[in-house]
Amino acid sequence: DTGVSQDPRHKITKRGQNVTFRCDPISEHNRLYWYRQTLGQGPEFLTYFQNEAQLEKSRLLSDRFSAERPKGSFSTLEIQRTEQGDSAMYLCATDRSSSGNTIYFGEGSWLTVV
Amino acid sequence: GESVGLHLPTLSVQEGDNSIINCAYSNSASDYFIWYKQESGKGPQFIIDIRSNMDKRQGQRVTVLLNKTVKHLSLQIAATQPGDSAVYFCAENKTPGRRALTFGSGTRLQVQP
C-alpha cells in the first residue's frame, strides 16, 4: 500500500491520558498536514509541515497538542491531558510541492476519550 | 464503521441519473477549490479540483463548475452509480499562499438501485 498510512486506526483513552498518533506519508511527499474531523462536520485544519519545518498552525491547536516531523518523513501528533472534546478523527494528508496541489488523505485515527 | 455525516443535507438519486452537489464558499479571495468524497469510516478521497482562473473542469464522469460571481461551486456526477454513495465535501484555499484548506459541511449522496 503506497498511500498515507496512519496508526493506530482507533484509540480509546481515559480523560487526562496522553495519546500519540503517527502518520507515514506517501513516498517523496514533502508536505504533510494534520486535520481533525468530528461527527457530522468537515475536516478542520490543524497544522502543516514542509519537510521538517512546521509552517502553519491553526488556533485549534491548543498548547496540549504538539506535532513533529523530525526527519521530514513521518509525523507524530501528540495530545496531552486528553479531554472528552478531543474525541474526533485525526486525519493526516500529504502532497508534493512539485506536483501542484492534490492533497491525499490517510484513513484517519479515531480517538475516543472516555 | 463510524459515520462522518449524521445530520447532513442528503441528495437521493436513482442509479444512472446525473447528480449535482452544490457548495457555497465564503471568501472571494479563495483561489483553489477541491471536491472530496468520504465513505463511512474512511478518509476523504480526492475527486477533482479547480483554480479560480477557470470556470469548468472535467474529469472521468465528474465536472466541477465554479461561479465566482455568486461564490458557488458545484460537482456534477454523470450516470451515478451505487459506489458513488458517500458524503461529498467541497474545500477552498481561503488564503492564497497558505496551505490550509477550509472544508464545507458536506452533502450525503444516496444512490438508489
Side-chain angles (χ1 to χ4, degrees):
Chain A
D1 187 344
T2 57
V4 178
S5 178
Q6 294 191 243
D7 183 73
R9 292 294 317 280
H10 300 270
K11 177 73 176 178
I12 300 175
T13 190
K14 292 184 178 179
R15 185 164 52 93
Q17 298 293 305
N18 300 342
V19 296
T20 300
F21 299 111
R22 176 180 170 121
C23 173
D24 286 275
I26 294 172
S27 179
E28 299 180 353
H29 279 196
N30 62 330
R31 300 196 291 214
L32 186 146
Y33 313 79
W34 285 99
Y35 283 77
R36 181 176 71 183
Q37 186 175 27
T38 53
L39 290 176
Q41 303 294 321
E44 297 172 294
F45 173 79
L46 293 177
T47 191
Y48 153 61
F49 291 84
Q50 180 158 316
N51 300 312
E52 66 275 9
Q54 189 173 19
L55 299 183
E56 293 178 29
K57 290 174 64 173
S58 163
R59 282 171 288 182
L60 291 175
L61 211 66
S62 75
D63 57 4
R64 295 186 298 106
F65 288 68
S66 62
E68 295 182 347
R69 197 182 184 200
K71 298 182 180 179
S73 58
F74 75 91
S75 175
T76 58
L77 176 68
E78 181 183 18
I79 308 173
Q80 296 181 325
R81 305 181 303 281
T82 51
E83 302 172 356
Q84 287 188 321
D86 297 330
S87 296
M89 180 162 69
Y90 291 86
L91 290 159
C92 178
T94 70
D95 70 345
R96 189 169 57 190
S97 55
S98 61
S99 65
N101 290 289
T102 304
I103 299 173
Y104 297 93
F105 281 85
E107 299 288 34
S109 292
W110 283 97
L111 173 65
T112 301
V113 181
V114 297
Chain B
E2 294 87 346
S3 169
V4 295
L6 295 181
H7 302 292
L8 296 171
T10 299
L11 175 65
S12 186
V13 300
Q14 292 292 319
E15 182 179 358
D17 287 351
N18 297 334
S19 302
I20 300 176
I21 300 172
N22 297 304
C23 176
Y25 64 92
S26 59
N27 189 356
S28 58
S30 297
D31 65 348
Y32 178 63
F33 305 87
I34 316 174
W35 280 100
Y36 283 94
K37 171 187 179 183
Q38 189 170 29
E39 296 175 272
S40 182
K42 296 187 175 182
Q45 176 187 355
F46 173 87
I47 301 174
I48 192 168
D49 58 1
I50 188 168
R51 294 203 167 276
S52 58
N53 60 354
M54 302 173 68
D55 297 323
K56 179 180 179 179
R57 191 166 187 220
Q58 288 184 293
Q60 186 177 12
R61 281 202 308 119
V62 294
T63 301
V64 55
L65 298 177
L66 176 61
N67 185 332
K68 294 181 285 294
T69 302
V70 294
K71 293 188 285 188
H72 183 267
L73 192 69
S74 68
L75 176 70
Q76 300 178 359
I77 305 174
T80 314
Q81 302 168 359
D84 295 326
S85 295
V87 177
Y88 289 80
F89 292 99
C90 64
E92 64 182 297
N93 181 353
K94 280 189 169 181
T95 308
R98 297 180 69 85
R99 300 298 304 165
L101 292 176
T102 300
F103 282 75
S105 55
T107 297
R108 180 184 301 280
L109 176 65
Q110 292 181 338
V111 182
Q112 308 297 329

